[in-house]
Structures are given as structure tokens and as C-alpha cells.
DNA sequence: CGGCAGATACGCT
DNA sequence: GCGTATCTGCCGT
């Protein structure tokens, strides 16, 4: 793994807040050549191996196999019949854990992201896990992708100050609702729900 | 704006 | 079969 992504080998609940402020850079093919879509991570959720809300909690299956692999890879899953969500695998090999990326703040290629989102604008482009996957054109084909390589890279940024981060319970799950493993950047308007 | 139902397919029991 | 780490549109205020 890339040296500056070494922190991903830690526990999901420590990696999740550390990912806030880091960026995802997606390169895509266009009629003219290529384009770059880039966004800042503003909201994450941790999912651990012994966590009833995590897909990995019941052990390895073909779908969750990627979560048990080395850190720094992408776990993309499909849900509700029409949505993709993307996660960054964390922890050592053999440990099934990941961090769900819940929302981004667009930094580059906003016009293309908006077009991918049925011409929606503003926060509606990326303020939700399935929305940002649509905006960045992330689907099943990127499951298992190495985040140090094109066409999707994780760019490390300095860790935020503790005071800039809010920690609360996770959203949209039915199991282990009380576990406070959701993290977001304070006062950022792209956070999915306040 | 806030609440609710519907869409839709996949993995797992 | 069934539940799901969601979003959207439509309804009501």
C-alpha cells in the first residue's frame, strides 16, 4: 500500500474521522479525452467486524470478501434495488471492516457531477452515499479497486482538529443504532442530515 | 418543508 | 421469500 495511506490499516472507528477532509479523485473518459471529478470527504461511518450493522458481521461471503482483504481498497455494494454505496476497506487482512463514505463536497468537475445527477445542483449533487456514487460514476465495476491507482484515488490531507469533527450515531440502519460511529465536518452544508 | 410510500434487485436464510 | 448502510416524488401543512 501507498505509504501515506498507512493509517487505513487501523480500526474503522479511528480511520473514519481521519478520512474527513481527505479527497476522492475520479478520472473518467469523455468524448474529448478525459476529465477529473474531485470531492472532499465530509461525512463517514465506521463498520466493524463485530458490528451487527456491518455486512461483515456474519463472516466472509462472496459479497463481503473484499472487506476482509487489505486496507485501501474499495468495497462497493448495491442496495434497495437501485443504489450503490462506496466504502474504504480498513484494518489488517483477515479483518472485515470498512468506512462508508456518506457525503462529499465537490471540488472539481462539478458540471459533470451535476449532469450525472439529472442536472441537480448544490448540495443535492453529493450529500448522500448513493448520490455521490452517481455523481462520481461509481458502480459495481469499481468493487475491489485499489485506491492508490486510477481511475479512482484517495488523496490524503492533514487530519482535522478534534473540534472540527462531530461524532454521532449512524443513519439508515436497523441494527446497532446506538453505536456512535458516524463522523462529519462541523457546519459543512454537504453533510447528509443535521 | 416534513412525512410517507414506492421503486427494484441482490445476497442470504 | 424477505430485508435492505437509499432516494425520489407526491402528498399534506
Amino acid at each position: 500500500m501507498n505509504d501515506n495511506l498507512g493509517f487505513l490499516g487501523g480500526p474503522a472507528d479511528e480511520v473514519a474521522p481521519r478520512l474527513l477532509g481527505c479527497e476522492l479523485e475520479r478520472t473518467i473518459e469523455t468524448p474529448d479525452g478525459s476529465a477529473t471529478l474531485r470531492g472532499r470527504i465530509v461525512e463517514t461511518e465506521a463498520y466493524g467486524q463485530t458490528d451487527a450493522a456491518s455486512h461483515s458481521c456474519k463472516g466472509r461471503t462472496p459479497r463481503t470478501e473484499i472487506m476482509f482483504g487489505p486496507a485501501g481498497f474499495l468495497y462497493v455494494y448495491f442496495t434497495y434495488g437501485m443504489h450503490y454505496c462506496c466504502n474504504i476497506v480498513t484494518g489488517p487482512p483477515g479483518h472485515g471492516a470498512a468506512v462508508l463514505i456518506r457525503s462529499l463536497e465537490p471540488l472539481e468537475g462539478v458540471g459533470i457531477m451535476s449532469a450525472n445527477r439529472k442536472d441537480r445542483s448544490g448540495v443535492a449533487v453529493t450529500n448522500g452515499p448513493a448520490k455521490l456514487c452517481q455523481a462520481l460514476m461509481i458502480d459495481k465495476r469499481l468493487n475491489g479497486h485499489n485506491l492508490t491507482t486510477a481511475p479512482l484515488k484517495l488523496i490524503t490531507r492533514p487530519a482535522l482538529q478534534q473540534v472540527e469533527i462531530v461524532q454521532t450515531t449512524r443513519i439508515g440502519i436497523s441494527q446497532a443504532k446506538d453505536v456512535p460511529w458516524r463522523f462529519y465536518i462541523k457546519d459543512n452544508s454537504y453533510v447528509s442530515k443535521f
Side-chain angles (χ1 to χ4, degrees):
Chain A
M1 192 195 323
N2 200 332
D3 283 343
N4 64 358
L5 294 183
F7 71 93
L8 294 177
D13 59 310
E14 291 179 17
V15 174
R18 176 66 187 82
L19 281 170
L20 296 176
C22 296
E23 297 171 15
L24 281 177
E25 185 175 85
R26 171 85 162 108
T27 52
I28 57 169
E29 303 299 321
T30 68
D32 312 326
S34 66
T36 299
L37 309 177
R38 196 160 48 87
R40 183 172 181 239
I41 298 172
V42 303
E43 181 180 357
T44 59
E45 283 181 2
Y47 287 87
Q49 179 159 5
T50 58
D51 173 3
S54 174
H55 293 163
S56 62
C57 73
K58 288 174 183 154
R60 291 176 185 244
T61 68
R63 179 176 64 146
T64 61
E65 182 63 24
I66 183 69
M67 287 181 78
F68 290 86
F73 286 75
L74 197 67
Y75 168 51
V76 179
Y77 71 88
F78 187 68
T79 191
Y80 291 104
M82 61 187 84
H83 296 301
Y84 291 103
C85 297
C86 80
N87 303 249
I88 295 174
V89 175
T90 68
H95 187 81
V99 173
L100 171 69
I101 308 302
R102 281 200 62 89
S103 58
L104 293 180
E105 175 182 347
L107 296 177
E108 185 176 351
V110 186
I112 297 174
M113 291 192 219
S114 179
N116 290 340
R117 292 274 304 129
K118 285 182 57 184
D119 287 328
R120 271 171 230 281
S121 59
V123 298
V125 177
T126 51
N127 71 339
K131 296 178 187 179
L132 71 89
C133 283
Q134 256 183 46
L136 294 188
M137 297 194 278
I138 294 172
D139 64 22
K140 197 169 189 163
R141 288 170 302 186
L142 281 174
N143 189 35
H145 173 75
N146 182 338
L147 287 167
T148 63
T149 65
L152 183 64
K153 291 185 187 179
L154 177 65
I155 302 171
T156 313
R157 296 288 180 219
L160 297 185
Q161 301 294 326
Q162 196 81 23
V163 68
E164 301 175 86
I165 298 175
V166 180
Q167 176 173 8
T168 66
T169 53
R170 294 173 292 186
I171 290 181
I173 55 175
S174 49
Q175 305 289 317
K177 285 180 194 277
D178 52 320
V179 179
W181 278 0
R182 174 176 176 238
F183 303 86
Y184 61 88
I185 300 180
K186 192 174 184 177
D187 296 330
N188 188 295
S189 58
Y190 285 88
V191 171
S192 61
K193 189 181 170 188
F194 287 95

